[in-house]
Amino acid sequence: MKETAKAYRPAALDDCLACPARHIDLLSSADAEGRVALLQHFEIATFAPKEPIYRMGDPGEWLYLLRFGLAKLLRYSASGTERIVHLARTGDTIGTAAITGNHHRRTAVAMTPTEVCRIPGEVVRECGKTNPAVLDALLAQFQASADAADTFLTELSTGSAQVRMARLLLFLTEKHDHNEAPLPSREEMGALLGTTTETASRVIAEFRREGAIEMLHNDRCRCNMAVLNLLATL
Amino acid sequence: MKETAKAYRPAALDDCLACPARHIDLLSSADAEGRVALLQHFEIATFAPKEPIYRMGDPGEWLYLLRFGLAKLLRYSASGTERIVHLARTGDTIGTAAITGNHHRRTAVAMTPTEVCRIPGEVVRECGKTNPAVLDALLAQFQASADAADTFLTELSTGSAQVRMARLLLFLTEKHDHNEAPLPSREEMGALLGTTTETASRVIAEFRREGAIEMLHNDRCRCNMAVLNLLATL
DNA sequence: CGTCATTTTGAAGCCCGTCAATCTAGGTGG
DNA sequence: CCACCTAGATTGACGGGCTTCAAAATGACG
């Protein structure tokens, strides 16, 4: 497949009003005219499933805010197989290496139709210099995301395959209503849980038979929270 | 066991000259008189194996620099069992939640005789306000440690028990000469690799028989790098 | 309707967890 | 100095969960 530069469009005020927070927190520390000045640097684009948002090794020019969707952050083991080390959901910020100007250390790939807003790292750095409160917010966010990262990894890499799958489904429902969750492919689930594709498939099939989940479509399900919560804490 | 407050002593200039870097990087951005002023806030203490350095939930008053030794960072799962989410080695900084003033999110426990230098988070924050370069260094360090954390977790939680143990031993040799490594108890190894104590013991015994490692003492070994490197990449 | 990728299901085997016994090293007290 | 005790390490036996290899079923799409 030929690589084409992704088309980004400038963010309009309406976009920002509808934005799922987070960078609001980050930039709310800036004063009014500062915010307006920042806004013109924001750009928006959409990604289809399997499209990369950025790649490991890319210069950290932008950081990205997920306006909606689901993306996986990949790391490659010495043997070449890929492992998903984190999932980013609506409202999450990814590619934060851009803040320090470092190259990106993970590859980010959309798993569902996803819309992101990209912000130049340069702008964030400048903003931080003139407004120290922004830096405090950044530090706090780094803490939180480092924390989230190892929670994520330990939750999904300890316990039986059933337990880990239950935890994954609970994680996926958190950003959705009516206990619904987007269902990744079995292969992706395997990469998330550290199991084979077949095991992921077997566990999902078992969950369906036992009523722990109910299929809504190929790639969505409704979760039985009581059952899954019970399984997840085993 | 009665809890007694740990006795810390002020750091002398000699201590700092012999210090295994890292906070030098962090504070080298401060000017000369600034550094002298900082020095008087540094305090040193030693910990025996199994002694906690700080506990999850403690107010983040200090951050800690390991002058030498080995410490484990623990997280507790919903079911109450503990999982080691990171190892800190000579030169590493731990308890960085203190920088933002948050309470500590992990419990840190010495695994070998360990000496730490503690630095008030307050001092680091003040230092950052007057000297922006320090904040850049902090941000970069957060990036790096977040990165190290998920590398650590994925390396030690994927692959067979043999492969994970080989990776652990290689990690433990990195800070030592002559390919030597401190050997944690089998129980601790289990907590690190996500296996049982028995499995850890079996793998170590097998490594000894096959010459992958050679025991020097109860708690030290010399590693056959060629063999371990081969195993680790399987 | 046919093709191809993905998912599901089956069967065999292995790795690892579990339970339990044995062995070793270090410490204590006689 | 030796008998005794205890915690940790080692080893064995067995069962179960997951992987592996393979085949069948399902669904997406031209």
Side-chain angles (χ1 to χ4, degrees), chain A residues 57-78:
Chain A
D58 283 355
E61 209 166 344
W62 297 281
L63 64 95
Y64 301 81
L65 172 83
L66 254 71
R67 290 169 51 82
F68 61 79
L70 184 65
K72 54 182 175 183
L73 300 183
L74 303 175
R75 103 182 290 278
Y76 299 94
S77 74

Side-chain angles (χ1 to χ4, degrees), chain A residues 104-216:
Chain A
H104 291 299
R105 298 197 169 101
R106 302 285 177 254
T107 294
V109 178
M111 296 175 74
T112 66
T114 297
E115 186 171 273
V116 308
C117 176
R118 76 176 178 188
I119 304 166
E122 177 68 24
V123 166
V124 178
R125 281 194 296 280
E126 281 305 319
C127 177
K129 279 181 191 164
T130 60
N131 195 328
V134 170
L135 285 174
D136 286 352
L138 281 178
L139 280 173
Q141 181 169 329
F142 271 157
Q143 295 275 10
S145 75
D147 224 46
D150 75 36
T151 300
F152 183 85
L153 282 171
T154 53
E155 292 279 299
L156 297 189
S157 67
T158 59
S160 70
Q162 271 200 16
V163 169
R164 281 175 284 163
M165 182 66 82
R167 291 187 189 132
L168 172 60
L169 291 171
L170 290 173
F171 180 86
L172 289 171
T173 56
E174 279 176 15
K175 297 282 181 178
H176 299 271
D177 299 324
H178 312 302
N179 303 332
E180 291 186 16
L183 274 192
S185 73
R186 303 299 172 268
E187 190 178 3
E188 285 172 324
M189 287 179 165
L192 276 159
L193 305 181
T195 72
T196 58
T197 305
E198 293 93 325
T199 299
S201 172
R202 273 183 246 268
V203 174
I204 287 293
E206 195 181 347
F207 279 8
R208 277 204 305 192
R209 283 191 293 269
E210 294 174 354
I213 63 174
E214 172 195 354
M215 299 301 287
L216 298 178

Side-chain angles (χ1 to χ4, degrees), chain B residues 21-223:
Chain B
R22 195 56 73 94
H23 77 306
I24 302 280
D25 290 11
L26 200 161
L27 301 175
S28 63
S29 342
D31 49 25
E33 66 264 29
R35 255 173 292 171
V36 174
L38 287 175
L39 241 170
Q40 61 183 277
H41 298 292
F42 294 7
E43 293 179 307
I44 291 178
T46 59
F47 293 85
K50 305 201 171 196
E51 267 192 297
I53 298 168
Y54 60 82
R55 294 174 195 277
M56 178 169 57
D58 282 354
E61 210 166 342
W62 298 281
L63 65 94
Y64 302 81
L65 172 83
L66 254 71
R67 289 169 51 82
F68 61 79
L70 183 66
K72 55 183 175 182
L73 300 183
L74 304 174
R75 103 183 292 278
Y76 299 94
S77 75
S79 54
T81 61
E82 73 182 37
R83 174 89 200 258
I84 300 177
V85 292
H86 202 67
L87 289 182
R89 298 169 297 182
T90 301
D92 288 342
T93 305
I94 58 177
T96 50
I99 294 172
T100 54
N102 286 314
H103 58 79
H104 291 299
R105 298 196 169 99
R106 300 286 176 255
T107 294
V109 177
M111 295 175 75
T112 66
T114 297
E115 186 171 273
V116 308
C117 176
R118 76 176 179 189
I119 303 166
E122 177 68 23
V123 166
V124 177
R125 281 195 295 281
E126 280 306 318
C127 177
K129 279 182 191 164
T130 60
N131 194 329
V134 170
L135 284 173
D136 286 352
L138 280 177
L139 281 173
Q141 180 168 330
F142 272 156
Q143 295 274 11
S145 75
D147 224 45
D150 76 37
T151 299
F152 182 85
L153 282 170
T154 53
E155 293 280 300
L156 297 189
S157 67
T158 60
S160 68
Q162 271 200 15
V163 168
R164 280 175 284 163
M165 182 66 81
R167 291 188 190 133
L168 172 60
L169 291 171
L170 290 173
F171 180 86
L172 289 172
T173 57
E174 278 175 17
K175 297 281 180 180
H176 298 272
D177 299 324
H178 312 301
N179 302 332
E180 291 186 15
L183 274 192
S185 73
R186 304 298 172 269
E187 190 178 4
E188 284 173 325
M189 287 179 164
L192 276 159
L193 304 180
T195 71
T196 58
T197 305
E198 294 93 325
T199 298
S201 173
R202 274 183 245 269
V203 174
I204 287 293
E206 195 180 348
F207 279 7
R208 277 204 297 187
R209 283 191 292 270
E210 294 173 355
I213 63 173
E214 172 195 354
M215 298 301 286
L216 298 178
H217 192 253
N218 279 336
D219 56 357
R220 298 196 66 73
C221 74
R222 186 186 315 284
C223 296

Side-chain angles (χ1 to χ4, degrees), chain A residues 6-28:
Chain A
K6 191 73 191 179
Y8 277 83
R9 64 172 176 82
L13 187 57
D14 285 350
D15 293 320
C16 292
L17 291 177
C19 191
R22 194 60 69 94
H23 77 307
I24 303 277
D25 290 12
L26 201 160
L27 301 175
S28 62

